[in-house]
Amino acid sequence: MLPEAEINRVLVVTAHPDDADFGSAGSVALFVDRGVEVTYLLVTDGDAGGNERTLDNSGMAELRRGEQRAAAKAVGVTDVRFLGYSDGQVVPSLELRRDIARVIRQVRPDLVITHHPDRNYRFIAPSHPDHRAVGGATLDAVYPDARNPYAFPELLKDEGLEAWTVREVWLNGGPTPNHWVDITDAMDRKLAALQSHVSQVSHVEGFAEFVKGRFAAWAEEAGFGEDRYAEAFQVVPTA
C-alpha cells in the first residue's frame, strides 16, 4: 500500500450524491485533517432518487447537488464536480472513461476511491448498476486511459492534459475488502455529511443508529475492538 506520507491528492469518483458519504467520508475527513487535497467527482446528479417527489427531475438534480456540496463541506472537501450523466442509466462507455480520465489528468491524484465493479452478494445495496458501471469505468480510466498519452489524444492535443499514473485505487462496497480505516475520530463528521442528504434520509427512522451499527460492524470485523467505527476497502495497486 501507499505510505500515508505519499498520499497528497485523492480523487473520489462516485455514481450519485451520498455515495461518497456512505462509502468513504470518514476516511476523507481523516485525509483532509492531514492536509491532503480531496476532489469529489459525481457521474450523475441523482435526479432519479429521493423521497421528495413533488419536484421534477431537474429540480431534484439541483437539490441533490446542493446536498452533496453541503455534505462535502462537513468533511472539509470544497472541490466537487458533476458530469451530469442520467441517474439509473450509466454504462461503462468510452465517453464515460474519457470524462473520468480527463478529471484524473486535471487533479493528478495519488489515490482514487471508487465503487467496486463486482456485485456484492453479501450485501446488495452497494451493487446498484450505476455503481458497478462507474467503478468499472473508473478502473479503466485509471488503467490504461489516464496514463496513456495516446488514449483520447484530444485530452492532450486540445486541452493540454498530460498523462498521469494513479498509484493506487481503493474500492468500496465490494465482497472482498482487505483494508479497513478506523474512522472513530471522524464518525460525527461522516454522520453529519450523510444527514446533509435530507431528500434521501430524513424520512428514515433511526438513521443515525443504523449508520453507526453498520460501521461498528466493520470495525469489529477489522479487529479494532468495541466502540470503534471503520470503513472497508479493497486496495488495488495501479502504479
Side-chain angles (χ1 to χ4, degrees):
M1 287 188 62
L2 278 178
E4 285 187 359
E6 296 181 20
I7 300 175
N8 298 302
R9 292 183 300 275
V10 174
L11 175 63
V12 182
V13 185
T14 68
H16 313 107
D18 81 17
D19 289 341
D21 305 300
F22 274 110
S24 59
S27 300
V28 164
L30 297 177
F31 280 130
V32 171
D33 287 348
R34 299 206 316 268
V36 175
E37 298 176 20
V38 180
T39 297
Y40 283 178
L41 176 64
L42 285 80
V43 171
T44 83
D45 299 323
D47 55 284
N51 186 54
E52 174 55 70
R53 300 313 301 171
T54 61
L55 299 173
D56 63 16
N57 280 358
S58 61
M60 180 58 70
E62 182 178 358
L63 173 63
R64 295 202 69 190
R65 286 194 298 269
E67 291 175 346
Q68 182 59 79
R69 291 188 182 99
K73 185 177 180 180
V75 294
V77 175
T78 58
D79 187 0
V80 182
R81 310 183 189 192
F82 299 87
L83 293 180
Y85 282 70
S86 295
D87 186 0
Q89 302 178 40
V90 182
V91 295
S93 63
L94 286 172
E95 180 183 19
L96 178 58
R97 285 168 50 183
R98 181 203 63 209
D99 290 346
I100 297 172
R102 173 186 289 113
V103 178
I104 290 172
R105 293 188 186 188
Q106 290 170 341
V107 173
R108 305 176 82 76
D110 306 296
L111 169 67
V112 167
I113 301 175
T114 192
H115 304 284
H116 202 293
D118 296 341
R119 193 181 300 276
N120 186 342
Y121 291 102
R122 293 175 56 192
F123 180 53
I124 199 66
S127 298
H128 188 291
D130 285 356
H131 294 186
R132 290 183 282 118
V134 168
T138 300
L139 284 169
D140 290 341
V142 167
Y143 176 80
D145 300 333
R147 70 185 63 191
N148 181 358
Y150 304 105
F152 306 117
E154 66 273 18
L155 295 179
L156 178 58
K157 179 181 177 183
D158 300 336
E159 302 179 39
L161 295 173
E162 299 282 351
W164 179 257
T165 298
V166 175
R167 298 174 64 191
E168 193 165 271
V169 175
W170 292 4
L171 304 173
N172 59 50
T176 53
N178 59 9
H179 176 58
W180 291 262
V181 177
D182 187 330
I183 61 164
T184 306
D185 292 342
M187 189 62 202
D188 288 346
R189 284 174 285 170
K190 177 182 178 74
L191 188 56
L194 284 165
Q195 290 173 324
S196 298
H197 298 280
V198 176
S199 68
Q200 307 300 293
V201 306
S202 62
H203 64 289
V204 180
E205 189 172 344
F207 177 72
E209 291 72 20
F210 162 75
V211 170
K212 289 180 178 180
R214 176 189 293 186
F215 293 94
W218 279 125
E220 184 177 350
E221 183 169 330
F224 293 155
E226 296 182 357
D227 301 319
R228 311 299 295 178
Y229 302 99
E231 291 171 343
F233 304 93
Q234 181 173 342
V235 175
V236 181
T238 54

